[in-house]
Amino acid sequence: MKITGLKVMVCSPGRNFVTVKIETDKGVFGLGDATLNGREKAVAAYLESHLTSCLIGRDPFDTEDIWNYLYKGAYWRRGPVTMTAIGAVDIALWDIKSKALEVPLYQLLGGKSRNRLMAYTHAQGQDLAETVEDVVAVKEQGFRAIRVQSGIPGLKKVYGVSDKESYEPAVKSSRPVEENWSTAKYLEFIPKLFSAVRKEVGADIHLLHDAHHRLSPIEAARLGKELESYHLYWLEDATAAELQDRFRIIRQHTTTPLAVGEVFNSVYDCHQLMIEHLIDYIRMTVAHGGGITPMMKIANLASFHNIKTGCHGPSDLSPINMAACLHFGMAINNYGIQEYMGYPQETADVFSTSYKFADGYFTLDESPGLGVNYDEKKAKTFPYEKAYLPINRLEDGTLWDW
Ligand code: CS2
Ligand code: MG
């Protein structure tokens, strides 16, 4: 079998997505997700200008060699744009391989390690009361695990809270919108929020929270300590993780489980966190992590250090990445949980999937490959519009982590 072409398709059914379609001389094609929120066109250009010509004529089954060719052959290694481009190609090649062999992708990764995959979704509110109400509503939908984000008293607009049906952080505009932040106000409020939520939902529901990179290590340590009695499933992105050893400070002070990694794109971003047992869940997702090929290696490294996966899976990654994460999660032993926010109808109109979701769990059937189809005609009716993730400023105007 030979690769005959690579198409990059940018569309916006509800929000911007970048999809790769790799075609072969046997008529089997594969799909990959190349969506990088706020930088979609950079990945599309990398694929079209630099990768396509390298792939024509290659055997799509040679996933290991092709991955190393694209990673080491670039000379300029790592980074979200490069690794998302490589990730999309890798996912598409694994889709081709499993379709050609007429098995679901997870069968090539180790088969079934479980019969269903637990998911978590987002609950949010403008204030404590609204957030507690939304957590209860999400629990009644059958979710066993719920991420809790709330407006912060005294702050106008903060991460994770929207007055719309589902939370989409990117705004279609010519430059980023600005949000504001006060760590003091946040740290004062969050323990009160979780005290109220835990009291309302009881001990059986897994509660998660995303600090979204904003705290210093010692502030994160304080928050983790103050949340211990509410037994969180995880505290995510407690501090910005460019310097992995910062997590030593958090780890020394609290037993609250730590999750990090949605902005990581290679094993080198998390290697120290893993070998020093500084985290409990790795949040890397298949598309941004370079694809199935490296993610299987990263999951194996994590498994030696009692670390489970918790793939990033917001609605700003497409159902193709979701499917890739589910096949990956089905096969590995150290699966933890899958983020799932659901998709608007327009997205479901373009991306049809064979994975099913009910009562808080995903299931996969025996459909060959990833089990995702992409309606190219429908996609063209949703043209791309530039969008940016917000930026964040402190109350005195200082630029801060968003
Ligand atoms: C968040 C995301 O889902 C999460 O854990 O961190 O909402 C993240 O902010 C967006 O995916 C960025 O595009
Ligand atoms: Mg997050």
Side-chain angles (χ1 to χ4, degrees):
M1 188 184 288
K2 293 268 174 275
I3 293 170
T4 53
L6 182 149
K7 278 169 80 172
V8 180
M9 302 175 287
V10 186
C11 68
S12 195
R15 57 127 26 244
N16 294 322
F17 294 111
V18 184
T19 301
V20 160
K21 179 179 184 181
I22 296 184
E23 292 158 325
T24 68
D25 57 354
K26 300 286 183 239
V28 179
F29 67 87
L31 295 174
D33 184 5
T35 307
L36 184 66
N37 203 351
R39 293 298 182 272
E40 295 84 1
K41 287 298 187 87
V43 182
Y46 192 101
L47 286 156
E48 286 166 337
S49 309
H50 305 296
L51 296 198
T52 301
S53 58
C54 302
L55 293 166
I56 306 300
R58 291 296 308 260
D59 180 342
F61 273 53
D62 294 345
T63 45
E64 185 66 24
D65 182 65
I66 289 173
W67 193 89
N68 282 283
Y69 181 96
L70 297 180
Y71 177 73
K72 296 178 180 174
Y75 184 69
W76 312 106
R77 297 182 184 188
R78 301 165 64 184
V81 173
T82 300
M83 300 311 286
T84 300
I86 296 175
V89 169
D90 187 74
I91 293 170
L93 296 179
W94 280 100
D95 192 21
I96 290 169
K97 189 172 342 200
S98 43
K99 277 179 181 172
L101 296 172
E102 296 178 354
V103 292
L105 173 50
Y106 63 76
Q107 291 293 20
L108 302 186
L109 307 177
K112 280 189 157 189
S113 291
R114 54 196 56 76
N115 48 39
R116 56 183 186 164
L117 299 112
M118 182 166 74
Y120 77 90
T121 198
H122 296 193
Q124 52 153 338
Q126 298 294 338
D127 57 30
L128 188 145
E130 209 179 275
T131 305
V132 170
E133 203 180 305
D134 199 39
V135 173
V136 170
V138 168
K139 178 185 173 185
E140 281 159 7
Q141 290 168 24
F143 280 93
R144 314 295 310 131
I146 303 171
R147 187 188 87 160
V148 182
Q149 305 293 136
S150 172
I152 308 293
L155 294 179
K156 270 199 314 291
K157 183 162 177 29
V158 294
Y159 162 73
V161 180
S162 145
D163 50 9
K164 297 193 182 64
E165 178 64 17
S166 78
Y167 175 63
E168 164 53 63
V171 174
K172 292 185 174 177
S173 63
S174 59
R175 66 174 60 193
V177 298
E178 301 209 352
E179 295 186 355
N180 54 40
W181 183 249
S182 155
T183 298
K185 289 181 172 126
Y186 168 80
L187 289 175
E188 172 60 27
F189 174 69
I190 294 298
K192 293 174 187 155
L193 172 69
F194 278 90
S195 168
V197 168
R198 184 53 85 192
K199 205 159 128 217
E200 189 66 31
V201 298
D204 292 348
I205 294 291
H206 296 301
L207 297 177
L208 303 86
H209 181 63
D210 193 344
H212 222 253
H213 324 275
R214 302 171 177 208
L215 305 178
S216 71
I218 203 65
E219 290 164 345
R222 168 187 155 186
L223 180 61
K225 216 177 167 77
E226 290 181 358
L227 292 176
E228 281 178 5
S229 52
Y230 310 121
H231 302 142
L232 264 61
Y233 185 88
W234 77 37
L235 174 61
E236 175 185 350
D237 283 332
T239 191
E242 285 95 330
L243 295 177
Q244 295 175 48
D245 56 11
R246 303 173 84 189
F247 276 74
R248 290 181 192 144
I249 298 170
I250 308 171
R251 212 52 163 179
Q252 281 156 10
H253 291 280
T254 180
T255 58
T256 292
L258 301 174
V260 73
E262 70 180 46
V263 297
F264 293 174
N265 48 73
S266 89
V267 66
Y268 307 107
D269 294 325
C270 57
H271 184 260
Q272 184 181 4
L273 291 169
M274 290 192 176
I275 59 176
E276 290 191 29
H277 300 262
L278 298 178
I279 58 172
D280 303 284
Y281 295 92
I282 181 67
R283 289 273 285 142
M284 288 179 74
T285 201
V286 175
H288 295 162
I292 295 280
T293 301
M295 283 295 287
M296 287 301 287
K297 298 170 183 174
I298 290 167
N300 290 339
L301 175 63
S303 69
F304 297 130
H305 299 282
N306 306 100
I307 294 167
K308 292 185 176 177
T309 62
C311 286
H312 189 217
S315 46
D316 52 67
L317 279 154
S318 90
I320 294 170
N321 178 68
M322 182 58 72
C325 291
L326 294 173
H327 283 273
F328 163 72
M330 178 60 82
I332 58 174
N333 175 264
N334 54 325
Y335 172 79
I337 197 166
Q338 175 61 46
E339 179 175 13
Y340 177 54
M341 294 171 64
Y343 290 98
Q345 190 51 49
E346 309 101 297
T347 303
D349 289 348
V350 171
F351 298 87
S352 51
T353 62
S354 63
Y355 62 70
K356 296 280 178 284
F357 181 80
D359 300 328
Y361 290 86
F362 280 105
T363 49
L364 291 174
D365 64 15
E366 295 303 305
S367 306
L370 280 171
V372 182
N373 280 310
Y374 179 89
D375 183 330
E376 295 184 41
K377 197 157 164 278
K378 174 75 83 173
K380 287 194 177 102
T381 65
F382 298 104
Y384 165 83
E385 282 180 77
K386 181 151 74 167
Y388 282 96
L389 285 171
I391 62 124
N392 201 16
R393 289 187 184 277
L394 298 181
E395 291 169 300
D396 68 2
T398 305
L399 199 286
W400 203 248
D401 295 290
W402 174 70

